[in-house]
Amino acid sequence: MLRNIYKILLLLLLASATVYASDSSKFDQGKKVFDKWCIHCHGVGMPATDALKIVYKGTDISPVLEERKELDADFVKYIVRNGKFSMPFFRKTEINDEQLNSLALYLSTKNK
Amino acid sequence: MSKNEDTMILPNGVNKKDFLAAIKEFEKIVGKKWVFKSKEDVYLYRDAYSPYWDEPEEPIPSLAVAPKSTEEVQEIVKVANQYKIPIFPISTGKNLGYGSSAPNNRGDVVVDLKRMNKIIEVNDKRNYCILEPGVSYFDLYNYIEENNLNVMMDIPDPGWGSPVGNSLDHGWGYLHGQFRDHFGNHCGMEVVLPNGELMRTAMGALPGAKTFAENKYGYGPYVDGLFSQSNFGIVTKMGFWMMPKPEHYTLAAITVPRRDDLIPLVEILNYLEDSSIVGWPLYRSPLNPEYGKPMNPELKSYLTSKNGKPDIEKIQDYALRNEIPYWRIDVSLYGTKDAVAANINYMKERFSKAIKGSKVEVTEDYDLPLTEEQKKSLKHKVTLGIPNLEIFWLSTRGEELGPKDGHVWFSPIIPRDGKELLKCQEIYIDTFYELGMESMITPFSHPRTWMYRAFCFMIGFANSREDKEINEKMRKVYTTMVKVAAKHGWGDYRAAPPFQDIVSGVYNFNDNILKRFAEQLKDTIDPNGIIAPGRGGIWPKRLRGDKNA
Ligand SMILES: Cc1cc2nc3c(=O)[nH]c(=O)nc-3n(C[C@H](O)[C@H](O)[C@H](O)COP(=O)(O)OP(=O)(O)OC[C@H]3O[C@@H](n4cnc5c(N)ncnc54)[C@H](O)[C@@H]3O)c2cc1C
């Protein structure tokens, strides 16, 4: 009986380790997507960051996306597929659904 | 039948049964995953800067197909012929301001070549590269840096486009003149013709040729030009000439105090550029406020103080009183350190002799290779072939300015001549006045100087994804501008799909012979009219009636 409990515990541990591993590789993939597609406008000193600086003036919200604490994963996905002002939307040959999920995970969990 | 099929956009002249059969065949060729047919996926191919956003004329495709190889492109073209389906190729599809990734017409099937992204060769001894259409400027730059190669590519402002797509739409860049003309700077092409056959041009026509990307002409007529801004084939490979990285780079600023100084200034700069002493000259007027900041109210008042039009004397007096140079030109110089220093001295001598009050000042001076910090701080990264997206500042929110949804570019070519530029300002100002609009042009609006033997006097008309009236008004002004410009001998070098008919229509010497010639070719090599109908104002016979009678 005790041996079975150990077995179950071990299995649970292993399972959570794989979940953790796949989440962390998704997170890394998300960072790669960000560096390839987003950073050129949303990096420090870049045009979208300058624009967001004006939007968030007087608040404690950072204009730098990678510093944001409250970004919602679905919001990130929506903006990538719908664009905003002069930011166009991205096709699936550019950012596929899997990459988009990773990007959303990266931006929504990075500072939590 | 699914709900999706009910609301399906169909390609022009194709019935639903045939279209569904063709989709099945496309899926066999590229795999289901790479045929985009749901509304959600197809809508990602809309033109985010469309002048017809959400109107019935908006060119939304019926489908997008993304092949991975030239063979797949050939198969797609064969199926398109079988069902007479109009197909529209894009390379990276970032043609924002001139159509983005959308086709020319509602319902055309987009052939998205983004997945064909092989860098076939970069040679830094003989200074060329050979690329597939999906290779972006960022991809190529990263490859060059990772492999420590001693060449740089001439790039447009946004780095996410591609050498193939950009050059096929006659795009321009920022190094020495000959490299800036991206189509002129290509060498060698592989094309899938409208019947699905594969053709290589110039040296590439010689099997086993070793100079595909080095000698432009091969033997016989030069046909590459037919495949730019047109619809005679789908390009699957192109060669480009590259510039060796220089040992030294200097950025200099030339300033002059008076408006009319532009006339001798342009003459000297033309000499410097055409002798390869300087690279790209960026013309600006310091009278313009920094982006997003308001214009000085006194200066602004002079823009309309002479019966609703600008008072040029008062503007000039304002500039002199406040010691603001009327024009400022940034020029980049490349070479060895000594040669660049000698050329700077030569420039100082020439300008000080010719223009009273002119100044030449060095603002950046670097030995290469640059450190990462130096790269980041460069004022004009594009002048050293470093891709970026910083140009998007021009549509973002400013301190005193709302954000824009994008621009539709009006891009007429005018002579590289100061007097003509000043005249062009006047004509545009008069046109805005007659239209009862605030003029987007002032007596200190500058020319764009990518074309190394001509100026482009460009206006970026704002589009909207919210307000159809803004778009309607913009379309009217754009159309008027094309006509006014043509009356003075100025014609656009490039245009978004809704304006391609009107722009190509003013190139009408001898009863439209150029268009008629292109139509004869179209009817011969693309009898089913499947490739990009209407692109460049060239319509296939079967669609000529309704769109281009
Ligand atoms: C802010 C801003 C700044 C810009 N600055 C510049 C600039 O400095 N210089 C410049 O040139 N442009 C500029 N542009 C315009 C545009 O963004 C670039 O030219 C961009 O590189 C074009 O997109 P692309 O390279 O993805 O080409 P694509 O969109 O892939 O192709 C352009 C067109 O060429 C044709 N085409 C593409 N591939 C093929 C093929 N394989 N076979 C046959 N036909 C094909 C199609 O008609 C297509 O629509 C600017 C735009 C904006 C919004």
Side-chain angles (χ1 to χ4, degrees), chain B residues 49 88-98 100-102 104 113 133 137 155-158 160-166 168-174 182 227 230 233-236 391-392 394 407 409 450 493-494 535:
Chain B
Y49 295 5
F88 187 91
I90 57 168
S91 288
T92 32
K94 285 282 174 246
N95 207 8
L96 293 153
Y98 295 113
S100 308
S101 45
N104 258 59
L113 306 174
Y137 290 100
I155 61 176
D157 255 312
W160 54 15
S162 51
V164 172
N166 177 282
L168 289 176
D169 205 19
H170 295 171
W172 293 86
Y174 295 97
H182 292 168
F227 301 98
S230 64
I234 300 183
V235 177
T236 47
I391 189 66
F392 280 86
L394 61 70
H407 289 108
W409 305 114
W450 311 293
Y493 90 94
R494 193 172 176 185
R535 168 110 177 106

Side-chain angles (χ1 to χ4, degrees), chain B residues 126-171:
Chain B
R126 296 177 357 218
N127 307 324
Y128 65 82
C129 61
I130 303 175
L131 309 171
E132 284 193 338
V135 177
S136 73
Y137 290 100
F138 281 124
D139 298 336
L140 180 61
Y141 178 79
N142 291 339
Y143 178 90
I144 290 169
E145 294 309 297
E146 279 158 19
N147 291 284
N148 203 18
L149 299 172
N150 194 37
V151 273
M152 53 186 189
M153 187 72 170
D154 192 295
I155 61 176
D157 255 312
W160 54 15
S162 51
V164 172
N166 177 282
S167 63
L168 289 176
D169 205 19
H170 295 171

